[in-house]
Amino acid sequence: MRKKGLALILALMLGLTACGTGKEDEVKDYAGSTETVGTEQPAGTEQSAAGTIQAASEAGTQAKEEAKPKNGRDLIEQLGGEDLTFSDTFQAGQIPGKSEISYHVNNTTTLPSYKVTEIRKEDVKEAEIVKALFGDTAKEIRGNVSKAGRDSETVVEACENMNYEHIGDYQEENPQQEFLAWKDGDSCYWHTYEGTYLGMDSELLVGYDEDYSAMILAFGPKNWGDAIDHPECTEILSLYGTEVLYRGNEAKGIPEVEKDISSMADPANKCTKSPEDLASQTSAFLSEQLQLKLPNEPLEHKNAGDDSEAQILFFPDTAMQSENLSGAEVNGYRISFPVTLAGQEYYFDEFSQNPIPYLNQGEMIVTDKGVISGYMQLRFNFEDRLTDQVAILPFDKAMTAVQENVAAELDTSKVPSQSVELDEAFLRYYPVESPDKANEYTYIPVWFVPIQRSSAYRFAYSITNAMDGSLIHIGYIE
């Protein structure tokens, strides 16, 4: 079966595969360091639950009061510099190894840890979500939704992905582009509804996918034009970047490839709220109406890569026919979940062919009307921010620990060469499972270091606790 899997929200990242175990029995419930921030914490240090919580609270308060680089609490101070290098040799069994690692610090004055719980099928509050969006207008869709029919494009996309994942309904085998809207199964389910939301005829999908251990939410208007008060607008061409183009029926014959959006005349902004205000409004919508528990990080309203605003643009026919797209309108913004915590990325294995993301992902379209559309994959509830600033090892000591872990725990029978190299390191956030509480994790900073043979072929990776240097996981790339 082809793994298309959540194409809209997985386009830029892959997830972690659960291959290799490392020294799993050594993983502890790391809520944050009790040491003064900026001080090394010895490997294997154990803390009482009460002491950890009290110290985390004290560290959080102190971090807020002294959140300036000069106080020695920022990441550059903790790691020992901004542009760092580590060189050494080691021995993994009979196989020689070499480390030549360079790292540029993405500085931050906070480095929090979070307590999170995994969202399970029984945790999905389907009835509450349906009620919050549609109220008494909700009706089940027990048949199919179709790209050719008058269905929400966002919900059709979600149904299409779920059909591909769990039914194998390939596009070439489904020329009518109709997809099952309601399915109950052991490994997954998805239910689709229609109703009135923000005064618009809309649709909603609520589901759970055990392949990803994630809740799936998708909703949107049946007609995009209803969202921007242009009923003639029936399609959306793209949800990425500034190339978000609406068009009316009569504009379909105009070849969009001939239009250079970079030379577009300044569009009129029909949105009365700032993107920052809309992002704040979206956070309240997610927590209060959809009852989602997300980290207290601001939602994104910028395009990845160029830091421009992720605008939702409408192009009337006159704009499509002009040389510089004169007459275009800004009607809202694309708001998305952050892909970082404290400026550091969540962990993901970019080498995996069957991703299981260890983060929540989602994109929403927001206008003055509200959050009109969204497509989300949600794996974790962020229950509590345990501390604002954990203490991590200096870079050289952290890389020494990484090297020692690889030397001691690498399965040399899987090494496809006569030597190994460590040449990159990435500071990431990763969920460490609690040893004594089922379904509970702590998000902590870790070092992800690829392991490669001398010909630069990566065949494995290690994940090391950035706070004490203990090994969390060694995985092997198939």
Side-chain angles (χ1 to χ4, degrees):
M1 181 185 298
R2 185 178 67 174
K3 286 283 184 181
K4 181 177 180 182
L6 304 173
L8 282 180
I9 50 181
L10 292 178
L12 300 180
M13 10 189 89
L14 295 174
L16 173 71
T17 51
C19 52
T21 58
K23 296 194 290 185
E24 299 281 353
D25 56 327
E26 292 188 8
V27 176
K28 302 179 181 65
D29 183 14
Y30 296 102
S33 173
T34 59
E35 302 291 322
T36 301
V37 177
T39 303
E40 175 184 341
Q41 176 179 333
T45 299
E46 297 188 13
Q47 306 160 353
S48 69
T52 296
I53 294 171
Q54 180 181 356
S57 176
E58 294 171 354
T61 301
Q62 189 174 359
K64 290 176 181 177
E65 293 174 351
E66 300 182 7
K68 296 181 180 180
K70 67 181 182 180
N71 292 320
R73 301 181 67 84
D74 69 335
L75 190 55
I76 288 177
E77 293 273 356
Q78 290 209 63
L79 291 177
E82 184 173 10
D83 290 293
L84 303 164
T85 59
F86 177 80
S87 300
D88 201 2
T89 59
F90 62 96
Q91 195 80 16
Q94 300 300 313
I95 297 177
K98 178 177 66 172
S99 297
E100 293 288 346
I101 301 173
S102 299
Y103 182 72
H104 177 77
V105 178
N106 183 16
N107 200 28
T108 177
T109 56
T110 61
L111 201 64
S113 62
Y114 283 90
K115 182 179 79 172
V116 300
T117 55
E118 194 169 29
I119 297 175
R120 297 166 295 187
K121 185 185 296 186
E122 57 269 27
D123 298 324
V124 178
K125 299 179 179 179
E126 180 175 341
E128 290 90 337
I129 293 171
V130 174
K131 183 75 172 177
L133 266 63
F134 292 160
D136 296 333
T137 69
K139 297 179 181 178
E140 298 176 355
I141 302 177
R142 290 278 184 164
N144 293 336
V145 292
S146 170
K147 287 187 174 181
R150 194 173 182 272
D151 289 302
S152 163
E153 186 174 8
T154 307
V155 171
V156 170
E157 182 74 22
C159 286
E160 179 182 13
N161 286 334
M162 297 299 280
N163 276 252
Y164 283 154
E165 291 283 349
H166 300 285
I167 300 177
D169 197 358
Y170 295 106
Q171 184 171 348
E172 55 268 24
E173 299 169 355
N174 185 7
Q176 301 302 317
Q177 292 293 277
E178 294 183 345
F179 305 100
L180 188 64
W182 193 286
K183 176 177 170 58
D184 290 294
D186 294 334
S187 64
C188 69
Y189 82 87
W190 63 93
H191 297 160
T192 305
Y193 300 84
E194 61 182 343
T196 302
Y197 170 61
L198 299 177
M200 302 178 292
D201 291 337
S202 301
E203 291 177 337
L204 162 71
L205 178 144
V206 183
Y208 190 86
D209 190 337
E210 289 193 355
D211 286 354
Y212 293 88
S213 299
M215 175 172 66
I216 312 299
L217 286 178
F219 61 95
K222 292 184 177 182
N223 181 39
W224 288 111
D226 293 342
I228 57 173
D229 297 324
H230 283 284
E232 74 277 14
C233 168
T234 58
E235 294 189 46
I236 186 168
L237 301 185
S238 171
L239 290 180
Y240 294 106
T242 52
E243 298 172 65
V244 180
L245 312 179
Y246 288 97
R247 59 183 177 183
N249 289 327
E250 295 180 4
K252 289 183 179 179
I254 300 176
E256 289 79 20
V257 292
E258 295 182 4
K259 301 295 180 181
D260 182 3
I261 198 168
S262 64
S263 62
M264 178 180 65
D266 288 340
N269 196 333
K270 300 295 186 179
C271 192
T272 63
K273 298 179 181 179
S274 70
E276 292 81 8
D277 287 343
L278 291 178
S280 177
Q281 175 183 324
T282 303
S283 293
F285 166 81
L286 295 172
S287 62
E288 295 170 11
Q289 292 187 252
L290 298 188
Q291 302 182 49
L292 304 179
K293 297 179 180 180
L294 302 173
N296 55 342
E297 300 278 328
L299 298 177
E300 300 284 351
H301 54 84
K302 302 279 189 177
N303 290 314
D306 62 7
D307 203 39
S308 60
E309 298 290 354
Q311 298 172 334
I312 304 300
L313 301 174
F314 171 65
F315 291 80
D317 291 346
T318 53
M320 295 295 290
Q321 293 164 0
S322 70
E323 289 298 322
N324 61 352
L325 296 170
S326 179
E329 300 174 2
V330 176
N331 285 273
Y333 297 87
R334 188 189 71 246
I335 307 294
S336 57
F337 290 177
V339 295
T340 63
L341 286 176
Q344 315 307 313
E345 292 183 7
Y346 294 88
Y347 174 77
F348 62 94
D349 170 21
E350 56 261 57
F351 313 111
S352 170
Q353 298 302 310
N354 296 294
I356 302 177
Y358 277 83
L359 68 162
N360 297 329
Q361 301 176 82
E363 289 189 345
M364 292 137 285
I365 294 178
V366 189
T367 71
D368 281 350
K369 290 180 181 288
V371 184
I372 65 167
S373 175
Y375 191 1
M376 289 163 266
Q377 173 189 314
L378 302 145
R379 187 172 184 202
F380 287 112
N381 280 321
F382 281 71
E383 304 290 351
D384 191 20
R385 181 163 170 152
L386 298 172
T387 177
D388 286 341
Q389 183 77 317
V390 299
I392 63 174
L393 295 174
F395 184 74
D396 59 342
K397 293 188 179 297
M399 294 304 104
T400 297
V402 169
Q403 185 175 267
E404 291 174 351
N405 291 336
V406 171
E409 298 299 329
L410 183 67
D411 185 348
T412 56
S413 68
K414 297 182 179 180
V415 177
S417 64
Q418 297 303 309
S419 63
V420 295
E421 294 181 4
L422 310 178
D423 71 342
E424 288 186 289
F426 305 92
L427 190 63
R428 296 284 192 257
Y429 266 89
Y430 182 83
V432 177
E433 189 171 6
S434 172
D436 55 359
K437 294 182 180 179
N439 195 45
E440 186 174 298
Y441 300 77
T442 306
Y443 253 108
I444 61 169
V446 302
W447 287 105
F448 164 58
V449 177
I451 306 169
Q452 64 185 38
R453 65 188 186 192
S454 55
S455 61
Y457 171 79
R458 293 175 172 178
F459 68 92
Y461 55 85
S462 69
I463 302 174
T464 299
N465 187 318
M467 295 187 294
D468 67 7
S470 60
L471 178 66
I472 294 174
H473 179 73
I474 288 184
Y476 299 89
I477 303 165
E478 298 179 358

